[in-house]
Amino acid sequence: REGPGGTGSAMDAPSAAGLGGAEPQLQRFIEVETQKQRFQQLVHQMTELCWEKCMDKPGPKLDSRAETCFVNCVERFIDTSQFILNRLEQTQKSKSAFSESLSD
Amino acid sequence: GMESGFGSDFGSGGGGGGKLDPGLIMEQVKVQIAVANAQELLQRMTDKCFRKCIGKPGGALDNSEQKCIAMCMDRYMDSWNTVSRAYNSRLQRERANM
């Protein structure tokens, strides 16, 4: 049996042995939970990063300035990630070698 | 064969008797995932609050350090929730734009 195709998931489908007709249900479950975990992991990562940028001394509540900073931080992090992917795609498409463009 | 105590008929015309309940497996996996996430959160929170609240380590945690840690924990949770909401909004916006 092949593992799930097209989802880009790094997880293989479980063995069908003993599961009768339940495999598509488990496969779907794995896809959904994997996606949820990707989300959770990014929230953990961004909270850590943005805490460094946005939090001075922890006070009795999260003031609006810090809250705005966190929101901006998330947006800019995702922008950064997209920027990197786009530029990488461009530099690989162009004739110059990737290593040349790194020395820009 | 194995007669399970959970009820063994899983339909689907399968040959063997039900040995594994997919619903049970899924619930157990969800619990494990939740535990793992809680551990991750705790680990990062401890790291951040130690850095914020503990200067030169003394012989014990004094009152101001304890107060700081308590506040820090709450602020870390607030931050986590803010980030979670912001990320979710961004994802929905991206999906809407596709």
Side-chain angles (χ1 to χ4, degrees):
Chain A
R1 276 303 291 266
E2 298 295 322
T7 60
S9 165
M11 298 177 72
D12 293 315
S15 155
L19 296 175
E23 189 184 317
Q25 190 190 10
L26 280 175
Q27 208 138 305
R28 178 72 192 136
F29 170 77
I30 287 170
E31 284 168 20
V32 167
E33 288 303 316
T34 302
Q35 191 133 324
K36 280 194 204 166
Q37 263 315 97
R38 281 202 198 107
F39 178 88
Q40 291 282 315
Q41 276 307 115
L42 250 119
V43 173
H44 283 311
Q45 185 187 356
M46 287 190 284
T47 302
E48 221 183 0
L49 286 169
C50 299
W51 176 273
E52 292 306 320
K53 296 198 178 292
C54 297
M55 186 60 74
D56 303 316
K57 193 123 177 86
K61 69 181 204 71
L62 199 65
D63 68 49
S64 60
R65 198 160 34 101
E67 176 148 7
T68 304
C69 180
F70 275 102
V71 173
N72 288 339
C73 180
V74 168
E75 297 281 348
R76 299 299 76 75
F77 181 86
I78 294 168
D79 290 344
T80 302
S81 177
Q82 289 179 342
F83 184 94
I84 288 171
L85 286 173
N86 289 337
R87 188 162 185 280
L88 204 65
E89 196 182 353
Q90 284 168 26
T91 56
Q92 293 200 317
K93 272 181 187 164
S94 74
K95 281 187 188 161
S96 64
F98 178 48
S99 56
E100 279 177 46
S101 67
L102 276 181
S103 61
D104 280 346
Chain B
M2 290 167 68
E3 299 297 24
S4 96
F6 318 122
S8 52
D9 180 6
F10 299 110
S12 300
K19 297 182 178 66
L20 295 168
D21 176 357
L24 191 64
I25 291 173
M26 293 193 287
E27 284 313 304
Q28 288 176 341
V29 168
K30 279 192 195 169
V31 167
Q32 287 175 350
I33 289 173
V35 168
N37 271 321
Q39 284 177 341
E40 181 105 38
L41 184 66
L42 233 53
Q43 193 177 354
R44 295 178 194 238
M45 180 193 281
T46 302
D47 184 277
K48 293 305 181 193
C49 293
F50 183 84
R51 286 174 199 270
K52 285 285 186 202
C53 295
I54 311 301
K56 196 137 172 83
L61 292 179
D62 64 42
N63 272 332
S64 65
E65 285 169 331
Q66 291 185 35
K67 273 201 196 116
C68 178
I69 294 169
M71 273 200 300
C72 178
M73 289 172 67
D74 292 346
R75 299 297 76 73
Y76 194 84
M77 282 313 309
D78 291 341
S79 305
W80 199 96
N81 288 328
T82 301
V83 168
S84 180
R85 278 192 308 266
Y87 185 36
N88 196 42
S89 297
R90 175 61 180 258
L91 285 177
Q92 301 209 0
R93 216 177 312 139
E94 298 281 327
R95 274 184 214 130
N97 287 339
M98 277 184 190

